């Protein structure tokens, strides 16, 4: 008991010294922690590369453009609980970035197999709203580069993706009526665009992209369902909802740092009945499949373009 009392008195007397040392100790701990995670992240990235090499047949290009908004979001919010890959530190942002893209690539392959269009057999593929090639870096290992076209509204994204992964591409625009492109594609994949467009442009873009399909082509696109609003965005976001029509809601927020206005590109939530009714009302072919929460937490729709009347007549004559 006497020794404890003496120690406690000494401990209190040393308080001024301890107060000066504590910040140094804290910085030292932070420095050691950072060094540990940086070293571990590099080692784990090598292991991850080996996994990708076995899975895709050759090494994945890991170059990331510093302007890549998706990567910056993951790095700045590395502890967000809804990332596809759990991260213990910002140093693992590249793991989350690559890991989620790899997962989406495999899920897309599953969707195409189910639709009877295995990816290696696809003759022409458009990755619309490609960003800085997060998924393109995996796509080029599954499909010949000459069959791949990419597009994005961000010119730096198109330039980086085309130059880095040796694919062809074109710049998109804000208004689909201004898109000057007449290519036709067997498969068009649109990941995480219809989960952001406002009501005025959502349907217009769906119709415009449908027009770029060849007959029997597939338009595969993802959306936010109401489950995302309930489970991820929460009650605070619900107070900001703008409901255009039944089944379609929008929040003015995005992570583009002002590159795109939040009135145009925000957070969009649609129901399955809304999508089905829109497709039917606008004669957009046949909705072949619906996969809830397929791409991480987004719903995936597979829309098939029906043959045009002229194509049907031509086939009948040839028959």
């Amino acid at each position: 008991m006497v020794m404890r009392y003496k120690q406690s008195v000494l401990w209190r007397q040393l308080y001024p010294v301890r107060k000066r040392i504590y910040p140094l100790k804290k910085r030292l701990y932070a420095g050691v922690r950072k060094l540990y995670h940086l070293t571990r992240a590099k080692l784990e990235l090598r292991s991850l590369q080996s996994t990708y090499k076995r899975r895709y047949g050759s090494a994945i290009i890991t170059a990331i453009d510093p302007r890549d908004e998706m990567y910056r979001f993951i790095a700045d919010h590395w502890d967000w609980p809804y990332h596809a890959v759990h991260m213990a530190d910002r140093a693992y942002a590249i793991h989350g970035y690559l890991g989620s893209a790899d997962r989406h690539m495999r899920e897309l392959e599953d969707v195409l197999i189910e639709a009877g269009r295995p990816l290696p057999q696809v003759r022409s593929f458009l990755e619309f709203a490609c960003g800085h090639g997060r998924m393109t870096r995996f796509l080029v290992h599954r499909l010949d580069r000459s069959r791949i076209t990419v597009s994005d509204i961000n010119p730096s994204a198109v330039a980086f993706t085309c130059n880095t992964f040796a694919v062809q591409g074109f710049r998109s625009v804000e208004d689909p009526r201004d898109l000057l492109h007449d290519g036709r594609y067997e498969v068009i994949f649109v990941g995480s665009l219809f989960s952001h467009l406002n009501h005025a442009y959502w349907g217009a873009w769906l119709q415009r992209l449908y027009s770029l399909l060849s007959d029997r082509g597939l338009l595969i696109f993802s959306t936010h369902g109401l489950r995302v609003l309930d489970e991820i965005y929460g009650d605070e976001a619900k107070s900001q909802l703008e409901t255009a029509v039944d089944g379609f809601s929008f929040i003015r927020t995005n992570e583009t740092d002002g590159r795109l206005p939040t009135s145009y590109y925000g957070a969009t939530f649609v129901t399955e009945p809304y999508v089905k009714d829109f497709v039917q009302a606008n004669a957009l072919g046949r909705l072949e499949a619906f996969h809830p929460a397929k791409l991480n937490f987004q719903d995936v729709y597979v829309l098939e373009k029906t043959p045009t009347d002229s194509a049907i007549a031509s086939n009948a004559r040839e028959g």
Side-chain angles (χ1 to χ4, degrees):
M1 293 297 293
V2 175
M3 283 299 295
R4 287 181 183 175
Y5 175 76
K6 286 182 178 180
Q7 287 178 350
S8 63
V9 170
L10 180 60
W11 187 251
R12 287 197 298 270
Q13 290 174 341
L14 289 175
Y15 176 73
V17 178
R18 290 189 291 114
K19 188 176 180 180
R20 291 182 180 182
I21 292 177
Y22 179 73
L24 297 176
K25 178 182 176 182
K26 190 175 180 180
R27 285 199 293 270
L28 178 62
Y29 171 77
V32 171
R33 182 182 184 277
K34 183 177 181 179
L35 180 61
Y36 166 76
H37 283 300
L38 284 173
T39 304
R40 181 177 174 181
K42 289 181 180 179
L43 293 173
E44 289 187 1
L45 183 58
R46 291 180 183 177
S47 176
L48 195 61
Q49 271 284 41
S50 298
T51 299
Y52 291 152
K53 190 172 183 178
R54 290 193 300 271
R55 183 174 295 160
Y56 293 96
S58 57
I60 298 296
I61 296 175
T62 58
I64 297 176
D65 192 295
R67 295 165 293 183
D68 191 324
E69 292 161 350
M70 179 60 70
Y71 176 77
R72 291 210 313 260
F73 176 82
I74 292 174
D76 293 342
H77 303 86
W78 59 268
D79 56 348
W80 190 52
Y82 301 105
H83 287 305
V85 176
H86 175 72
M87 290 169 279
D89 186 83
R90 179 189 174 97
Y92 303 95
I94 190 170
H95 299 66
Y97 180 88
L98 296 175
S100 60
D102 167 50
R103 176 177 169 180
H104 292 172
M105 184 72 247
R106 287 181 285 149
E107 289 179 339
L108 174 60
E109 288 184 282
D110 291 342
V111 169
L112 285 168
I113 289 173
E114 185 176 317
R117 310 284 182 92
L119 186 55
Q121 298 177 17
V122 173
R123 291 163 294 183
S124 55
F125 187 103
L126 171 61
E127 184 187 359
F128 196 78
C130 65
H132 284 80
R134 181 170 68 126
M135 195 162 153
T136 315
R137 71 188 67 235
F138 293 97
L139 181 62
V140 295
H141 291 268
R142 288 291 190 247
L143 189 62
D144 190 279
R145 298 168 196 263
S146 64
R147 304 182 190 181
I148 301 171
T149 303
V150 299
S151 181
D152 198 274
I153 195 173
N154 186 347
S156 76
V158 178
F160 176 82
T161 303
C162 291
N163 293 335
T164 306
F165 306 110
V167 296
Q168 54 191 331
F170 62 93
R171 182 183 174 185
S172 182
V173 291
E174 183 175 306
D175 192 327
R177 293 171 296 185
D178 298 330
L179 181 67
L180 301 177
H181 186 75
D182 58 0
R184 293 293 181 269
Y185 303 93
E186 183 179 352
V187 173
I188 299 177
F189 174 68
V190 192
S192 197
L193 173 65
F194 291 99
S195 50
H196 294 286
L197 293 171
N198 71 14
H199 186 255
Y201 289 95
W202 195 96
W205 267 116
L206 191 63
Q207 291 174 297
R208 185 68 178 95
L209 290 172
Y210 179 82
S211 73
L212 298 182
L213 287 172
S214 57
D215 286 338
R216 298 295 185 188
L218 298 180
L219 174 58
I220 303 171
F221 61 98
S222 67
T223 68
H224 285 151
L226 296 184
R227 183 185 71 87
V228 175
L229 179 61
D230 291 332
E231 297 181 10
I232 298 178
Y233 280 79
D235 293 334
E236 183 178 350
K238 290 180 182 179
S239 65
Q240 306 170 34
L241 276 178
E242 301 174 13
T243 301
V245 295
D246 187 36
F248 190 107
S249 297
F250 183 79
I251 297 175
R252 296 177 183 241
T253 179
N254 67 50
E255 60 279 354
T256 66
D257 296 327
R259 182 175 59 82
L260 295 173
T262 57
S263 58
Y264 171 77
Y265 188 87
T268 306
F269 309 90
V270 297
T271 62
E272 182 186 358
Y274 174 83
V275 177
K276 287 183 175 180
D277 289 347
F278 186 90
V279 168
Q280 184 175 7
N282 292 277
L284 298 182
R286 182 171 67 92
L287 198 57
E288 184 177 275
F290 169 64
H291 303 276
K294 185 69 173 178
L295 293 182
N296 199 7
F297 48 77
Q298 296 198 41
D299 299 335
V300 174
Y301 296 86
V302 180
L303 183 61
E304 182 181 38
K305 186 171 186 178
T306 53
T308 60
D309 292 339
S310 59
I312 293 175
S314 176
N315 290 338
R317 287 194 299 270
E318 291 176 3

